[in-house]
Amino acid sequence: MQANPAERVDYRVILSRPVSGCDGAGALHMTLEYVPDRVILVPDSLTRYVAGLEHLSWPGPEALGVAILDDINNEVVPRWLRVTVVVGQEAQPHAPGSDAAPWHTVSHAVILEDRQPHWTAPAPAPPGPLAAR
């Protein structure tokens, strides 16, 4: 972890990586999204943390997601946090000209969210002058 360089600003950090270790779940992919408060998570620390989780046995993606949510909340204490664990491939388009179906489907996804008490996301800013171009 390191100090948040802009504590007064609400901004979202998104970190993502594959995870292994759930009993019978197949390939997993974890995405961590958060609005930092006082500290930010260094991406290399998340990689080491997830590598440690992979040595444990998880009964399913729900248990893994809850553990990640609890650990990040306890260590980073973000203003807002979302942990997504997807079994298999996330929905994504195939390359143009591919013979495959246009979209993969997600068969199992777990999405967990938490936020600090009394914190609400700021309203989105209106489009700027470049939005109309």
Side-chain angles (χ1 to χ4, degrees):
M1 290 183 293
Q2 65 187 40
N4 181 350
E7 273 190 59
R8 63 180 174 74
V9 177
D10 283 335
Y11 60 95
R12 189 181 328 188
V13 176
I14 302 172
L15 301 169
S16 185
R17 68 159 296 184
V19 182
S20 62
C22 271
D23 295 341
L28 297 175
H29 194 87
M30 184 271 306
T31 301
L32 175 70
E33 301 173 64
Y34 70 100
V35 174
D37 194 3
R38 294 187 177 154
V39 297
I40 59 173
L41 187 61
V42 177
D44 287 345
S45 343
L46 180 66
T47 299
R48 287 190 302 275
Y49 166 75
V50 171
L53 291 176
E54 292 175 338
H55 295 295
L56 303 172
S57 179
W58 300 97
E62 293 83 0
L64 177 63
V66 168
I68 294 169
L69 183 88
D70 287 346
D71 289 345
I72 299 299
N73 267 334
N74 290 332
E75 295 299 320
V76 180
V77 192
R79 295 176 188 162
W80 172 83
L81 172 62
R82 176 185 292 151
V83 175
T84 304
V85 179
V86 176
V87 179
Q89 294 287 324
E90 287 189 70
Q92 54 185 299
H94 287 280
S98 170
D99 291 335
W103 293 92
H104 288 288
T105 57
V106 176
S107 60
H108 189 169
V110 178
I111 302 169
L112 302 114
E113 283 191 16
D114 196 19
R115 69 188 72 233
Q116 288 184 7
H118 310 296
W119 184 84
T120 56
L130 297 178
R133 292 185 183 181

